[in-house]
Amino acid sequence: MTLPFRQIHLDFHTSPFIPDAGEDFDAITFAKTLKDSFVNSVTVFAKCHHGYSYYSTEAGIKHPSLKRDLLAEMMKACHAEGLRVPVYLSVVWDEAAAEKTNWRQIDRKGQLVGRKPLSAEDNTEAAGWKWLCMNSPYMDYLEKQTLEVVKNYEADGLFFDIVHQTRPGCVCPYCLESMKEKQLDLQVEADLYHHSLRTEQEAMQRLEQAVHQVKPELPLFFNGRVRLDYNIQRGIRQELPWMTHVDIESLPSGLWGYNHFPLYASFYKILDQEFAGMTGRFHKMWGDFGSLKNKAALEYECFQMLAHGAKCVIGDQLHPRGRLDNETYELIRSVYEQVSEKEEWCRDVKPVDEIGVLVSQHSPGVANSPSNFSDEGALRMLMEEHRLFSFLDEASDFSPYSLIIAPDVIPFTERLTEKIQAFLDDGGKLLFSHQAGLNEKGMWEIGGGVIYEGELPFSPDYIKLSEAFDSLSAMPQVFYEEGSRVKAVEGARVPACVYEPYFNRGRDMYMSHFHTPVSHRSENPAMVQTEQTIYLAHPVFAAYRKHGNLAYKQLVDRCLAELLPEPLIETNLPSTAQVTMNAQPAEERWVLHFLHYVHQRRAEGIDVIEEVLPLYAVTVSLRLKSAPQQVYMAPTRVKLDFSFQEGVLTFTVPEIRGHQMAVIQF
């Protein structure tokens, strides 16, 4: 299949207390509004979180005030306009089924998962969804609803939402029986976690097989599965055969923030699976009625998807009476018209990156879980320094990369150790920090020049680079996060040592307002360097994400300059700008994406983008094996002057206004 570039994900979670569901719906107006907004795919609803169906159902429960087959009318009208129409089904959240059954998930404390039987005084806290267990007879009920939709409607795909069990695991009667059959111990957290994961996977496999027995080519996606994990057994790789594509749900103003999508996209772009990014038109969160995202923000979020090789999905929620909001779709039209003009240079792309970053996160497996600070810190540093990078796991191919970064806390299995050693043997470089690379015995087996000896005795402490390493600052720089005490092996260099404070701050022993100042240089290495590796003793990536200290980023950038003295790309962009590069092999061209949208924390918990700040005269140097035929701007096709000398292509982009593509045509 080929995913369309301009999609709408249309929610319709409609309470039973709504008395007039679908009364204002006009199919022709609905489809024409979407078509006029440059939309070419809309995911519509068969069953919502409230548990109600919006079609003529015998297997489910139709919304009590709906007097029409809304699904059939939407599908017929949209197909007439040439729009693709996948269908949405809620899985674990189904309020109607939860009210009438004992199919609820129960956590290890014996409490019902989700909304509790007794409401809190705060209505906001009281509202929420009840979690149904995918080990219970609920799955029979859901499968009947699914097959009813597949057999009776010409859906162009299925989107299953909220596919997750509680962590570490559900202990409802059905799960207890299942664990007993599988000889798992509910007192062991690892067993609970494993069972929870297997329950999710068995549910997906069951639904996929049921659907594809009827319509073998029907596209499927299970939402809630998009996650990162250094342990590939817990990651998404083994679940991809049950999905035809991936959607990365990521509303930056909601639970996710602006680090989430580029982090996940930097991993999913290396997988052999089409993927899309999903944001929302809302100012805050799903169902934030009466709000619109600023145009500059929606542009940034969609154009960033294109820059990472993803298709675009904008989330909306249909008003209960069934009429699309004109102002919402004027906003969407203004962005999707631009996307339509850019698509030619965004199809069938492969990332062109020289740095691979090993995923350090252990995902709890529940949707919208926060990312690991080490991953986010590495992401921010590399984006701000305009490095070309992908995130990797143990199963990834390391051969396309010149350098691998192992940030802070990645345990090295025997397999990963072998792969890293083979990468080094082939001439690759490695930057690793803190406890990254340790095996289960607390030892490094890779040739990184260090022996682990435990934790450093003081925190915060300080580091200062030696003059031989071109010191970034004459002042010892504070490290707020506790580092590792290591010993350098014979032949390794120590460009920086830890400087210790007078004492650790405590209740009875303290100085001034914050932490104790530097006292003296210790013999503990802060940095160890070999010909192919650099080790940093502190969790520098997590520290940058938590504290934003420029010195940490400068330290890492200095290490990268040592390990990669001739980077693939160099530019004069400010740190607020981003750059990615994709290849279009069939077109024999590379496409550089430049993004400059500055988000600010203007309100509690929300980053806001309001204006587009243009950049001018951006210089770019690329190291290439051969000279290009031409360089031009897309989509305008304005040609740029360039030079090519000694393997370096140089050109200037006159203006970047939000998003700009520069095409290197071979």
Side-chain angles (χ1 to χ4, degrees), residues 196-216:
S196 186
L197 183 61
R198 288 299 305 146
T199 296
E200 294 163 345
Q201 292 172 342
E202 288 167 2
M204 287 186 288
Q205 187 174 22
R206 174 180 176 177
L207 290 171
E208 183 270 333
Q209 289 177 348
V211 169
H212 283 162
Q213 283 176 358
V214 179
K215 293 186 177 177

Side-chain angles (χ1 to χ4, degrees), residues 2-8 35 37-41 274 302-303 305-307 309-313 332-333 335-350 582-584 587 589 591 593 632 634-637 659-661 663:
T2 299
L3 285 178
F5 273 93
R6 292 165 273 123
Q7 304 177 45
I8 294 295
K35 183 76 171 180
S37 302
F38 287 83
V39 173
N40 53 12
S41 178
E274 280 194 278
C302 288
F303 298 160
M305 295 170 196
L306 299 181
K311 309 299 173 58
C312 304
V313 183
I332 291 171
R333 184 204 63 76
V335 176
Y336 270 180
E337 183 175 12
Q338 296 180 72
V339 171
S340 70
E341 295 169 349
K342 299 171 188 279
E343 290 178 15
E344 180 179 340
W345 295 272
C346 302
R347 292 191 186 97
D348 302 319
V349 298
K350 298 292 184 183
N582 296 320
Q584 286 184 297
E587 307 295 338
R589 65 192 179 204
V591 182
H593 291 259
Y632 64 91
T636 62
R637 299 182 188 272
H659 177 229
Q660 180 62 59
M661 294 181 290
V663 182

